[in-house]
């Protein structure tokens, strides 16, 4: 039995006052939300404040990326250890903007994932193909490579309990163009089969696989109705409390 997981990736949006107002409202939403897991991923500068503002709730708070080194000369960067230190419990790794705008490779994602697990941070691992890769029939090959490079030989229990995979087709992120439920289900089923091959049926049946890419209140229900879609990683539509609340409400019952 998988609990649906609706996570808001705030990217480089919201200011301190907006984060505070969002969290105040989210406390009420979370108190009512049963049968769904909620999470928010604020910009680094607000991470500690958001952790405090949501203390005592079940809402997951995490970073949008982090570096694996414990410390060092990495001007402008933040260490996984520092994310943990401010009380965050999760980190998103391999987001397409990190891969395509900031040049993070599969090896970088793996190095970060290893350190996150070692430090006790849970991970949302993003995978997804570009439009060109989809058009040339390479979707399965690309997501398989990203999945395997990140997760091969990771401990079974960690994969089942501490990793969420987010399928985020690059062409659907921030574009308003969503994958159809059939396209999403297709890739989600491939990812679950891959998990089954590497980690066995017990792990694959527990692995939560989110869909991400222009998820909105008006399309979330059909996506979550797919048997292998267990939640959503949401950018734009997670920035307003009303729409995040609607997503949370519609997310209930969204996982198998
Ligand atoms: P979007 O972003 O919902 O704005 O498309 C999703 C994401 O990047 O995680």
């Amino acid at each position: 039995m998988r609990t649906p997981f609706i996570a808001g990736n705030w990217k480089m949006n919201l200011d301190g006052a907006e984060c505070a107002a969002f969290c105040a409202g989210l406390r009420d939403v979370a108190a009512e939300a049963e049968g769904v897991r909620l999470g928010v991923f604020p910009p680094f500068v607000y991470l500690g404040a958001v952790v405090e503002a949501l203390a005592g709730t079940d809402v997951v708070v995490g970073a949008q990326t982090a570096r694996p080194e414990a410390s060092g000369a990495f001007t402008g960067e933040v260490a996984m250890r520092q994310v943990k230190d401010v009380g965050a419990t999760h980190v998103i790794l391999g987001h397409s903007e990190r891969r395509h705008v900031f040049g993070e490779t599969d090896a970088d994602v793996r190095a970060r994932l290893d350190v996150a697990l070692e430090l006790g941070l849970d991970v949302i691992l993003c995978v997804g193909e570009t439009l060109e890769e989809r058009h040339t029939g390479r979707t399965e090959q690309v997501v398989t490579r990203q999945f395997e490079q990140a997760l091969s030989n990771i401990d079974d229990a960690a994969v089942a309990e501490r990793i969420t995979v987010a399928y985020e087709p690059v062409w659907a992120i921030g574009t308003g163009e969503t994958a159809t439920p059939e396209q999403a289900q297709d890739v989600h089923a491939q990812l679950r089969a891959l998990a089954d091959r590497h980690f066995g049926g017990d792990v694959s049946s527990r692995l939560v696989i989110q869909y991400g890419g222009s998820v909105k209140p008006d399309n979330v229900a059909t996506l979550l109705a797919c048997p292998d879609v267990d939640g959503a990683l949401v950018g734009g539509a997670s920035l307003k409390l009303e729409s995040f609340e609607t997503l949370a409400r519609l997310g209930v019952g969204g996982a198998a």
Side-chain angles (χ1 to χ4, degrees):
M1 189 69 183
R2 303 185 293 271
T3 304
F5 184 13
I6 307 286
N9 172 11
W10 291 351
K11 308 193 181 182
M12 200 174 70
N13 295 297
L14 305 184
D15 61 21
E18 288 166 335
C19 288
F22 193 109
C23 291
L26 185 54
R27 293 188 70 90
D28 297 333
V29 173
E32 308 264 288
E34 268 178 45
V36 62
R37 188 177 204 207
L38 301 178
V40 290
F41 292 77
F44 282 131
V45 284
Y46 306 122
L47 191 53
V50 168
V51 166
E52 277 173 36
L54 294 172
T57 71
D58 292 332
V59 181
V60 158
V61 182
Q64 300 167 15
T65 183
R67 285 198 70 90
E69 299 84 358
S71 60
F74 297 99
T75 301
E77 294 291 287
V78 171
M80 210 75 72
R81 193 174 57 82
Q82 295 167 317
V83 167
K84 172 86 179 167
D85 188 47
V86 297
T89 56
H90 284 60
V91 61
I92 297 173
L93 294 177
H95 188 276
S96 77
E97 285 146 25
R98 298 304 311 178
R99 291 181 192 265
H100 297 288
V101 183
F102 299 99
E104 285 178 16
T105 63
D106 288 326
D108 291 329
V109 172
R110 177 54 182 256
R112 289 161 195 242
L113 189 133
D114 283 336
V115 173
L117 292 181
E118 195 181 302
L119 292 177
L121 289 167
D122 291 357
V123 171
I124 296 181
L125 169 70
C126 302
V127 299
E129 82 289 359
T130 62
L131 193 57
E132 202 245 326
E133 287 162 344
R134 173 162 283 267
H135 283 162
T136 50
R138 285 183 289 146
T139 299
E140 183 166 8
Q141 179 194 329
V142 169
V143 301
T144 299
R145 189 200 73 228
Q146 292 170 334
F147 181 101
E148 288 182 339
Q149 303 257 322
L151 296 178
S152 292
N153 304 319
I154 297 287
D155 174 66
D156 286 6
V159 176
E161 288 154 26
R162 300 181 52 203
I163 304 277
T164 298
V165 173
Y167 168 55
E168 297 210 307
V170 179
W171 47 271
I173 296 179
T175 58
E177 193 180 338
T178 320
T180 63
E182 294 73 28
Q183 286 171 323
Q185 169 56 28
D186 224 33
V187 179
H188 280 239
Q190 286 163 10
L191 289 165
R192 200 171 306 284
L194 200 55
D196 189 58
R197 248 191 340 272
H198 282 269
F199 307 105
D202 177 54
V203 172
S204 69
S205 65
R206 290 158 71 201
L207 181 68
V208 171
I209 309 179
Q210 297 173 318
Y211 168 79
S214 300
V215 172
K216 295 187 266 319
D218 65 3
N219 62 22
V220 71
T222 47
L223 287 160
L224 290 177
C226 300
D228 288 300
V229 177
D230 309 316
L233 181 56
V234 189
S238 76
L239 298 173
K240 290 252 183 318
L241 183 66
E242 309 79 71
S243 97
F244 192 67
E245 179 175 5
T246 308
L247 295 173
R249 195 156 27 77
L250 295 172
V252 178

